[in-house]
Amino acid sequence: MNIGIVGSGNVGSTLGKAWARRGHKIVFSYSRDPKKLESLATSAGPNTRAGTPAEAVQFGEVILFAPPWPSVDHALKAAGPLAGKILIDCTNPLKQDLSGLEIGHTTSAAEEIAKKTPGARVVKAFNMTGAENMANPRFGAEQVTMFICGDDAAAKTAIARLTEELGFEAVDAGSLQAARLLEPLAMLWIHLAYAQEMGSGIGFKLLRR
């Protein structure tokens, strides 16, 4: 699959490298440091290259959208039209001091991004754990659960498959409105990892009887 990545920080770079190792073609984009972007593409192997956000969008069947929250509008403008693309929204609308979310409960980052990207098939995923777990979501015999949500069933199926390739357990949490629940879940992960000093090597697991 061709995957364009808009936002090549810890999340974008980790997921891009992991998918490239599994044979997917990757275009990394959107970094304040073009040299760092080129270095990332080189280190990630022959299935990857660097480009502009617009090039990443044109290239990708799936677009991983992972800029910092304050940069969302700038990144979307640089990316251009996203109609028809599967857009994985990884963002969390964090306050600058990480003390909470700037928006939530009656809307979500995912829903606001969907409003700004008419025709895009938005799926919320990869927002509720750290990049360390994206590189390795297995804890012994257990897998970290990755909840996904969206309004397009076929898009969710495609993203569930990409999620499971990385070693996560993918769980469909429902419509895109469920992002109102998943983004606070990310805030809980951040609180436990840093305020409670549990460290980033923690993850959530859904248990069933």
Side-chain angles (χ1 to χ4, degrees), residues 24-202:
H24 298 286
K25 305 292 186 182
I26 309 294
V27 172
F28 291 106
S29 75
Y30 200 69
S31 172
R32 285 176 289 185
D33 186 346
K35 291 184 179 178
K36 182 179 178 182
L37 201 61
E38 291 287 351
S39 177
L40 169 61
T42 299
S43 68
N47 287 334
T48 71
R49 63 181 175 89
T52 67
E55 288 170 340
V57 168
Q58 185 176 16
F59 171 82
E61 304 162 70
V62 169
I63 310 303
L64 183 81
F65 189 67
W69 176 245
S71 301
V72 161
D73 286 341
H74 185 267
L76 287 175
K77 183 177 180 180
L82 286 150
K85 301 288 185 176
I86 298 176
L87 178 67
I88 310 173
D89 169 38
C90 306
T91 66
N92 285 308
L94 301 175
K95 294 180 179 179
Q96 290 290 334
D97 62 0
L98 303 183
S99 64
L101 302 175
E102 288 191 349
I103 62 172
H105 305 299
T106 58
T107 187
S108 64
E111 290 168 281
E112 295 306 306
I113 288 168
K115 291 176 186 176
K116 298 172 188 286
T117 55
R121 305 160 68 192
V122 179
V123 176
K124 188 78 184 186
F126 300 113
N127 73 299
M128 67 210 69
T129 195
E132 174 184 336
N133 290 332
M134 295 176 193
N136 179 15
R138 293 188 177 274
F139 285 63
E142 298 287 353
Q143 300 166 275
V144 174
T145 298
M146 180 57 64
F147 297 103
I148 66 175
C149 68
D151 295 331
D152 185 308
K156 284 196 289 187
T157 296
I159 300 316
R161 186 165 58 249
L162 285 173
T163 302
E164 289 165 351
E165 281 186 25
L166 301 178
F168 287 99
E169 175 197 30
V171 173
D172 185 346
S175 71
L176 195 63
Q177 186 172 313
R180 300 177 192 184
L181 307 175
L182 301 188
E183 291 168 13
L185 185 60
M187 194 68 245
L188 174 61
W189 187 91
I190 291 167
H191 174 76
L192 294 175
Y194 300 109
Q196 295 300 109
E197 299 182 349
M198 293 184 184
S200 58
I202 60 172

